[in-house]
Amino acid sequence: MITGKTRVTGIMGHPLGHSLSPIMHNAAFRSLGMDWIYVPFPVKPENLKAAVEGLRALGVEGVNVTIPHKEAVLEYIDDIHGTAALIGAVNTLKFDDGTVRGYNTDASGCLRALEEVTSVEGSSVLILGAGGAARACAFQLAEKGASDITILNRTPEKARLLAEDMADKLGFEASYGGYELIQGSVKSADILIDTTPVGMHPHTDDRPLVGAELMHEGLVVHDFVYNPQRTVLLREAERASAIPVSGIRMLLYQGVEAFRIWTGRDPPLDVMEDALKRVLNRD
Ligand code: NAP
């Protein structure tokens, strides 16, 4: 029930139709008996500044920020959390006594999903894709002590720009190139991360960028796609006795961290995970 004391969080982006975050966060609030709510705020790019000012003026506690605002919103925030500043993008805002603080929980969510099954420190990492999600992940893993990172992209120029930015900001020399380098790069990797939308619903049977024949036993294979939960890439990983990590783990952990930032409380992980899986299994 909404009361006079209900505290408001939400997500702003455009479009928002497929976001699973309202389901995940509202399930957590309900389960903890908290008088909080999470609502979708569809915001067109031309209204971003007014939206941030409006949310602050309305006393909203915090919001997630999604496509297309993750970078553009930096202009309207007062304080940006360490790794998010290096990445140059945020996915979580907290309104703190009039101060707007920005965080990147995609980055910490990716790290936590990987660290459930392996240690990033000293690992050799291969990242496919060089978009926003790849960027968050590359900076976070470099900071966490990955021994080397290779970024391969359909448009190699974008991989080069990301690698150069990492060298400038972190002094970390990542390798980069196009997908023709996949075969050689997978061989020497401990962790393979596919940040591209390949295999995402409804294209669930598209050919994966890496097949089982290129993978080796024990390779950690993290697919950022979470719908379906068991993607074509992760099925290949199973065939190769590699270690699959579903994008749903990252989705869950980016949400867990945002929940903590807003409320100062630990959310019920199992409740959030069940809520996500129920929706994904229904589709
Ligand atoms: P983005 O900025 O648009 O980047 C997409 C990347 O994928 C680009 O490098 C693009 O290459 C590459 N790509 C696109 N289509 C491709 C294809 N058919 N074959 C090969 N490469 C292709 O998107 P993003 O924000 O980084 O998001 C990427 C994916 O991560 C999405 O599926 C998103 O849902 C997922 N994601 C998941 C989570 C989670 O919590 N699990 C969080 C964030 C994002 P070009 O540069 O050549 O275009």
Side-chain angles (χ1 to χ4, degrees), residues 49 51-62 75-79 93-102:
K49 180 171 189 240
V52 175
E53 283 170 359
L55 292 169
R56 174 172 25 196
L58 289 167
V60 166
E61 303 290 335
E75 205 181 321
Y76 311 117
I77 66 184
D78 306 306
D79 178 60
L93 301 184
K94 179 171 166 60
F95 299 95
D96 224 358
D97 279 339
T99 303
V100 188
R101 301 188 197 285

PDB file of all heavy atoms in Angstrom, residues 49 51-62 75-79 93-102:
ATOM      1  N   LYS A  49      17.740  16.712 -18.285  1.00  0.00           N
ATOM      2  CA  LYS A  49      18.100  17.703 -17.253  1.00  0.00           C
ATOM      3  C   LYS A  49      16.882  17.992 -16.363  1.00  0.00           C
ATOM      4  O   LYS A  49      16.979  17.971 -15.130  1.00  0.00           O
ATOM      5  CB  LYS A  49      18.578  18.994 -17.934  1.00  0.00           C
ATOM      6  CG  LYS A  49      18.977  20.074 -16.963  1.00  0.00           C
ATOM      7  CD  LYS A  49      19.646  21.220 -17.705  1.00  0.00           C
ATOM      8  CE  LYS A  49      20.238  22.204 -16.721  1.00  0.00           C
ATOM      9  NZ  LYS A  49      19.684  23.519 -16.846  1.00  0.00           N
ATOM     10  N   ALA A  51      14.367  16.127 -15.858  1.00  0.00           N
ATOM     11  CA  ALA A  51      14.010  14.930 -15.089  1.00  0.00           C
ATOM     12  C   ALA A  51      14.864  14.821 -13.831  1.00  0.00           C
ATOM     13  O   ALA A  51      14.346  14.549 -12.734  1.00  0.00           O
ATOM     14  CB  ALA A  51      14.172  13.683 -15.957  1.00  0.00           C
ATOM     15  N   VAL A  52      16.176  15.053 -13.951  1.00  0.00           N
ATOM     16  CA  VAL A  52      17.057  14.945 -12.772  1.00  0.00           C
ATOM     17  C   VAL A  52      16.660  16.018 -11.751  1.00  0.00           C
ATOM     18  O   VAL A  52      16.532  15.730 -10.551  1.00  0.00           O
ATOM     19  CB  VAL A  52      18.549  15.077 -13.165  1.00  0.00           C
ATOM     20  CG1 VAL A  52      19.431  15.090 -11.923  1.00  0.00           C
ATOM     21  CG2 VAL A  52      18.957  13.942 -14.103  1.00  0.00           C
ATOM     22  N   GLU A  53      16.439  17.227 -12.221  1.00  0.00           N
ATOM     23  CA  GLU A  53      16.028  18.301 -11.295  1.00  0.00           C
ATOM     24  C   GLU A  53      14.684  17.977 -10.654  1.00  0.00           C
ATOM     25  O   GLU A  53      14.474  18.186  -9.466  1.00  0.00           O
ATOM     26  CB  GLU A  53      15.941  19.638 -12.043  1.00  0.00           C
ATOM     27  CG  GLU A  53      17.314  20.230 -12.288  1.00  0.00           C
ATOM     28  CD  GLU A  53      17.292  21.429 -13.236  1.00  0.00           C
ATOM     29  OE1 GLU A  53      16.208  21.803 -13.724  1.00  0.00           O
ATOM     30  OE2 GLU A  53      18.385  21.967 -13.496  1.00  0.00           O
ATOM     31  N   GLY A  54      13.776  17.431 -11.460  1.00  0.00           N
ATOM     32  CA  GLY A  54      12.449  17.083 -10.951  1.00  0.00           C
ATOM     33  C   GLY A  54      12.515  15.979  -9.897  1.00  0.00           C
ATOM     34  O   GLY A  54      11.885  16.087  -8.841  1.00  0.00           O
ATOM     35  N   LEU A  55      13.301  14.969 -10.160  1.00  0.00           N
ATOM     36  CA  LEU A  55      13.405  13.857  -9.200  1.00  0.00           C
ATOM     37  C   LEU A  55      13.986  14.365  -7.878  1.00  0.00           C
ATOM     38  O   LEU A  55      13.537  13.988  -6.801  1.00  0.00           O
ATOM     39  CB  LEU A  55      14.288  12.741  -9.774  1.00  0.00           C
ATOM     40  CG  LEU A  55      13.707  11.984 -10.977  1.00  0.00           C
ATOM     41  CD1 LEU A  55      14.754  11.097 -11.627  1.00  0.00           C
ATOM     42  CD2 LEU A  55      12.496  11.152 -10.566  1.00  0.00           C
ATOM     43  N   ARG A  56      14.980  15.238  -7.990  1.00  0.00           N
ATOM     44  CA  ARG A  56      15.582  15.806  -6.786  1.00  0.00           C
ATOM     45  C   ARG A  56      14.553  16.647  -6.033  1.00  0.00           C
ATOM     46  O   ARG A  56      14.381  16.520  -4.829  1.00  0.00           O
ATOM     47  CB  ARG A  56      16.792  16.660  -7.177  1.00  0.00           C
ATOM     48  CG  ARG A  56      17.349  17.382  -5.990  1.00  0.00           C
ATOM     49  CD  ARG A  56      18.650  18.116  -6.148  1.00  0.00           C
ATOM     50  NE  ARG A  56      19.053  18.568  -7.457  1.00  0.00           N
ATOM     51  CZ  ARG A  56      20.302  18.940  -7.736  1.00  0.00           C
ATOM     52  NH1 ARG A  56      21.224  18.864  -6.814  1.00  0.00           N
ATOM     53  NH2 ARG A  56      20.611  19.382  -8.918  1.00  0.00           N
ATOM     54  N   ALA A  57      13.825  17.479  -6.768  1.00  0.00           N
ATOM     55  CA  ALA A  57      12.836  18.364  -6.136  1.00  0.00           C
ATOM     56  C   ALA A  57      11.708  17.575  -5.487  1.00  0.00           C
ATOM     57  O   ALA A  57      11.146  17.984  -4.469  1.00  0.00           O
ATOM     58  CB  ALA A  57      12.273  19.328  -7.173  1.00  0.00           C
ATOM     59  N   LEU A  58      11.382  16.422  -6.068  1.00  0.00           N
ATOM     60  CA  LEU A  58      10.267  15.621  -5.547  1.00  0.00           C
ATOM     61  C   LEU A  58      10.664  14.751  -4.359  1.00  0.00           C
ATOM     62  O   LEU A  58       9.841  14.043  -3.790  1.00  0.00           O
ATOM     63  CB  LEU A  58       9.710  14.734  -6.673  1.00  0.00           C
ATOM     64  CG  LEU A  58       8.950  15.482  -7.773  1.00  0.00           C
ATOM     65  CD1 LEU A  58       8.731  14.580  -8.976  1.00  0.00           C
ATOM     66  CD2 LEU A  58       7.621  15.996  -7.249  1.00  0.00           C
ATOM     67  N   GLY A  59      11.947  14.770  -4.024  1.00  0.00           N
ATOM     68  CA  GLY A  59      12.393  13.990  -2.861  1.00  0.00           C
ATOM     69  C   GLY A  59      12.518  12.503  -3.135  1.00  0.00           C
ATOM     70  O   GLY A  59      12.466  11.687  -2.214  1.00  0.00           O
ATOM     71  N   VAL A  60      12.699  12.147  -4.404  1.00  0.00           N
ATOM     72  CA  VAL A  60      12.938  10.739  -4.745  1.00  0.00           C
ATOM     73  C   VAL A  60      14.280  10.319  -4.125  1.00  0.00           C
ATOM     74  O   VAL A  60      15.219  11.115  -4.060  1.00  0.00           O
ATOM     75  CB  VAL A  60      12.938  10.583  -6.296  1.00  0.00           C
ATOM     76  CG1 VAL A  60      13.496   9.251  -6.734  1.00  0.00           C
ATOM     77  CG2 VAL A  60      11.519  10.784  -6.816  1.00  0.00           C
ATOM     78  N   GLU A  61      14.357   9.084  -3.619  1.00  0.00           N
ATOM     79  CA  GLU A  61      15.571   8.641  -2.925  1.00  0.00           C
ATOM     80  C   GLU A  61      16.725   8.375  -3.884  1.00  0.00           C
ATOM     81  O   GLU A  61      17.883   8.674  -3.587  1.00  0.00           O
ATOM     82  CB  GLU A  61      15.295   7.333  -2.153  1.00  0.00           C
ATOM     83  CG  GLU A  61      14.165   7.432  -1.145  1.00  0.00           C
ATOM     84  CD  GLU A  61      14.533   8.301   0.043  1.00  0.00           C
ATOM     85  OE1 GLU A  61      15.730   8.437   0.352  1.00  0.00           O
ATOM     86  OE2 GLU A  61      13.598   8.854   0.666  1.00  0.00           O
ATOM     87  N   GLY A  62      16.380   7.756  -5.034  1.00  0.00           N
ATOM     88  CA  GLY A  62      17.425   7.421  -5.993  1.00  0.00           C
ATOM     89  C   GLY A  62      16.809   6.704  -7.179  1.00  0.00           C
ATOM     90  O   GLY A  62      15.666   6.239  -7.106  1.00  0.00           O
ATOM     91  N   GLU A  75      26.557  15.107 -16.662  1.00  0.00           N
ATOM     92  CA  GLU A  75      26.522  16.568 -16.671  1.00  0.00           C
ATOM     93  C   GLU A  75      25.668  17.142 -15.534  1.00  0.00           C
ATOM     94  O   GLU A  75      25.848  18.284 -15.132  1.00  0.00           O
ATOM     95  CB  GLU A  75      25.937  17.009 -18.029  1.00  0.00           C
ATOM     96  CG  GLU A  75      26.355  18.392 -18.447  1.00  0.00           C
ATOM     97  CD  GLU A  75      25.724  18.763 -19.776  1.00  0.00           C
ATOM     98  OE1 GLU A  75      25.638  17.871 -20.672  1.00  0.00           O
ATOM     99  OE2 GLU A  75      25.311  19.917 -19.914  1.00  0.00           O
ATOM    100  N   TYR A  76      24.738  16.340 -15.028  1.00  0.00           N
ATOM    101  CA  TYR A  76      23.775  16.868 -14.054  1.00  0.00           C
ATOM    102  C   TYR A  76      23.990  16.337 -12.645  1.00  0.00           C
ATOM    103  O   TYR A  76      23.125  16.466 -11.797  1.00  0.00           O
ATOM    104  CB  TYR A  76      22.340  16.564 -14.533  1.00  0.00           C
ATOM    105  CG  TYR A  76      22.139  16.957 -15.973  1.00  0.00           C
ATOM    106  CD1 TYR A  76      21.846  16.007 -16.942  1.00  0.00           C
ATOM    107  CD2 TYR A  76      22.301  18.286 -16.359  1.00  0.00           C
ATOM    108  CE1 TYR A  76      21.696  16.368 -18.266  1.00  0.00           C
ATOM    109  CE2 TYR A  76      22.167  18.657 -17.687  1.00  0.00           C
ATOM    110  CZ  TYR A  76      21.867  17.697 -18.642  1.00  0.00           C
ATOM    111  OH  TYR A  76      21.744  18.060 -19.948  1.00  0.00           O
ATOM    112  N   ILE A  77      25.130  15.666 -12.414  1.00  0.00           N
ATOM    113  CA  ILE A  77      25.332  15.141 -11.062  1.00  0.00           C
ATOM    114  C   ILE A  77      26.481  15.861 -10.374  1.00  0.00           C
ATOM    115  O   ILE A  77      27.342  16.445 -11.028  1.00  0.00           O
ATOM    116  CB  ILE A  77      25.501  13.608 -11.051  1.00  0.00           C
ATOM    117  CG1 ILE A  77      26.767  13.169 -11.735  1.00  0.00           C
ATOM    118  CG2 ILE A  77      24.322  12.921 -11.704  1.00  0.00           C
ATOM    119  CD1 ILE A  77      26.882  11.655 -11.797  1.00  0.00           C
ATOM    120  N   ASP A  78      26.453  15.848  -9.020  1.00  0.00           N
ATOM    121  CA  ASP A  78      27.400  16.658  -8.259  1.00  0.00           C
ATOM    122  C   ASP A  78      28.631  15.869  -7.852  1.00  0.00           C
ATOM    123  O   ASP A  78      29.698  16.436  -7.634  1.00  0.00           O
ATOM    124  CB  ASP A  78      26.714  17.160  -6.959  1.00  0.00           C
ATOM    125  CG  ASP A  78      25.424  17.884  -7.273  1.00  0.00           C
ATOM    126  OD1 ASP A  78      25.470  18.811  -8.085  1.00  0.00           O
ATOM    127  OD2 ASP A  78      24.377  17.487  -6.728  1.00  0.00           O
ATOM    128  N   ASP A  79      28.460  14.555  -7.696  1.00  0.00           N
ATOM    129  CA  ASP A  79      29.527  13.770  -7.096  1.00  0.00           C
ATOM    130  C   ASP A  79      29.515  12.394  -7.741  1.00  0.00           C
ATOM    131  O   ASP A  79      28.456  11.778  -7.847  1.00  0.00           O
ATOM    132  CB  ASP A  79      29.212  13.659  -5.587  1.00  0.00           C
ATOM    133  CG  ASP A  79      30.216  12.825  -4.858  1.00  0.00           C
ATOM    134  OD1 ASP A  79      31.389  13.202  -4.891  1.00  0.00           O
ATOM    135  OD2 ASP A  79      29.831  11.800  -4.270  1.00  0.00           O
ATOM    136  N   LEU A  93      21.766   6.614  -9.406  1.00  0.00           N
ATOM    137  CA  LEU A  93      21.873   7.928  -8.760  1.00  0.00           C
ATOM    138  C   LEU A  93      21.273   7.845  -7.366  1.00  0.00           C
ATOM    139  O   LEU A  93      20.291   7.136  -7.152  1.00  0.00           O
ATOM    140  CB  LEU A  93      21.077   8.998  -9.528  1.00  0.00           C
ATOM    141  CG  LEU A  93      21.425   9.290 -10.986  1.00  0.00           C
ATOM    142  CD1 LEU A  93      20.571  10.456 -11.497  1.00  0.00           C
ATOM    143  CD2 LEU A  93      22.901   9.587 -11.157  1.00  0.00           C
ATOM    144  N   LYS A  94      21.884   8.591  -6.431  1.00  0.00           N
ATOM    145  CA  LYS A  94      21.296   8.736  -5.099  1.00  0.00           C
ATOM    146  C   LYS A  94      21.139  10.233  -4.827  1.00  0.00           C
ATOM    147  O   LYS A  94      22.069  11.003  -5.058  1.00  0.00           O
ATOM    148  CB  LYS A  94      22.212   8.099  -4.057  1.00  0.00           C
ATOM    149  CG  LYS A  94      21.702   8.209  -2.629  1.00  0.00           C
ATOM    150  CD  LYS A  94      22.578   7.356  -1.724  1.00  0.00           C
ATOM    151  CE  LYS A  94      22.397   7.645  -0.246  1.00  0.00           C
ATOM    152  NZ  LYS A  94      21.061   7.438   0.255  1.00  0.00           N
ATOM    153  N   PHE A  95      19.958  10.605  -4.379  1.00  0.00           N
ATOM    154  CA  PHE A  95      19.696  12.013  -4.052  1.00  0.00           C
ATOM    155  C   PHE A  95      19.874  12.155  -2.545  1.00  0.00           C
ATOM    156  O   PHE A  95      19.112  11.596  -1.766  1.00  0.00           O
ATOM    157  CB  PHE A  95      18.284  12.417  -4.480  1.00  0.00           C
ATOM    158  CG  PHE A  95      18.080  12.278  -5.966  1.00  0.00           C
ATOM    159  CD1 PHE A  95      17.511  11.134  -6.506  1.00  0.00           C
ATOM    160  CD2 PHE A  95      18.492  13.276  -6.839  1.00  0.00           C
ATOM    161  CE1 PHE A  95      17.341  10.991  -7.870  1.00  0.00           C
ATOM    162  CE2 PHE A  95      18.320  13.148  -8.210  1.00  0.00           C
ATOM    163  CZ  PHE A  95      17.752  11.998  -8.734  1.00  0.00           C
ATOM    164  N   ASP A  96      20.899  12.913  -2.185  1.00  0.00           N
ATOM    165  CA  ASP A  96      21.351  12.961  -0.798  1.00  0.00           C
ATOM    166  C   ASP A  96      21.269  14.393  -0.307  1.00  0.00           C
ATOM    167  O   ASP A  96      22.187  15.170  -0.591  1.00  0.00           O
ATOM    168  CB  ASP A  96      22.834  12.517  -0.819  1.00  0.00           C
ATOM    169  CG  ASP A  96      23.155  11.550   0.271  1.00  0.00           C
ATOM    170  OD1 ASP A  96      22.257  11.238   1.069  1.00  0.00           O
ATOM    171  OD2 ASP A  96      24.317  11.100   0.317  1.00  0.00           O
ATOM    172  N   ASP A  97      20.201  14.781   0.373  1.00  0.00           N
ATOM    173  CA  ASP A  97      20.086  16.168   0.850  1.00  0.00           C
ATOM    174  C   ASP A  97      20.390  17.179  -0.248  1.00  0.00           C
ATOM    175  O   ASP A  97      21.185  18.102  -0.048  1.00  0.00           O
ATOM    176  CB  ASP A  97      21.074  16.410   2.004  1.00  0.00           C
ATOM    177  CG  ASP A  97      20.510  15.881   3.305  1.00  0.00           C
ATOM    178  OD1 ASP A  97      19.277  15.729   3.380  1.00  0.00           O
ATOM    179  OD2 ASP A  97      21.306  15.614   4.224  1.00  0.00           O
ATOM    180  N   GLY A  98      19.833  16.946  -1.419  1.00  0.00           N
ATOM    181  CA  GLY A  98      20.038  17.907  -2.514  1.00  0.00           C
ATOM    182  C   GLY A  98      21.271  17.615  -3.363  1.00  0.00           C
ATOM    183  O   GLY A  98      21.429  18.180  -4.433  1.00  0.00           O
ATOM    184  N   THR A  99      22.164  16.739  -2.889  1.00  0.00           N
ATOM    185  CA  THR A  99      23.342  16.382  -3.692  1.00  0.00           C
ATOM    186  C   THR A  99      23.000  15.154  -4.535  1.00  0.00           C
ATOM    187  O   THR A  99      22.426  14.186  -4.024  1.00  0.00           O
ATOM    188  CB  THR A  99      24.532  16.039  -2.764  1.00  0.00           C
ATOM    189  OG1 THR A  99      24.771  17.154  -1.932  1.00  0.00           O
ATOM    190  CG2 THR A  99      25.780  15.705  -3.557  1.00  0.00           C
ATOM    191  N   VAL A 100      23.364  15.183  -5.825  1.00  0.00           N
ATOM    192  CA  VAL A 100      23.108  14.027  -6.693  1.00  0.00           C
ATOM    193  C   VAL A 100      24.412  13.248  -6.834  1.00  0.00           C
ATOM    194  O   VAL A 100      25.401  13.759  -7.361  1.00  0.00           O
ATOM    195  CB  VAL A 100      22.626  14.471  -8.088  1.00  0.00           C
ATOM    196  CG1 VAL A 100      22.189  13.252  -8.898  1.00  0.00           C
ATOM    197  CG2 VAL A 100      21.494  15.474  -7.993  1.00  0.00           C
ATOM    198  N   ARG A 101      24.414  12.003  -6.329  1.00  0.00           N
ATOM    199  CA  ARG A 101      25.625  11.171  -6.397  1.00  0.00           C
ATOM    200  C   ARG A 101      25.436  10.072  -7.435  1.00  0.00           C
ATOM    201  O   ARG A 101      24.369   9.471  -7.524  1.00  0.00           O
ATOM    202  CB  ARG A 101      25.893  10.513  -5.038  1.00  0.00           C
ATOM    203  CG  ARG A 101      26.073  11.522  -3.919  1.00  0.00           C
ATOM    204  CD  ARG A 101      26.524  10.831  -2.628  1.00  0.00           C
ATOM    205  NE  ARG A 101      26.317  11.719  -1.485  1.00  0.00           N
ATOM    206  CZ  ARG A 101      27.074  12.774  -1.199  1.00  0.00           C
ATOM    207  NH1 ARG A 101      28.103  13.072  -1.965  1.00  0.00           N
ATOM    208  NH2 ARG A 101      26.797  13.539  -0.165  1.00  0.00           N
ATOM    209  N   GLY A 102      26.506   9.779  -8.215  1.00  0.00           N
ATOM    210  CA  GLY A 102      26.423   8.771  -9.274  1.00  0.00           C
ATOM    211  C   GLY A 102      27.340   7.586  -9.024  1.00  0.00           C
ATOM    212  O   GLY A 102      28.460   7.745  -8.537  1.00  0.00           O
TER     213      GLY A 102
END
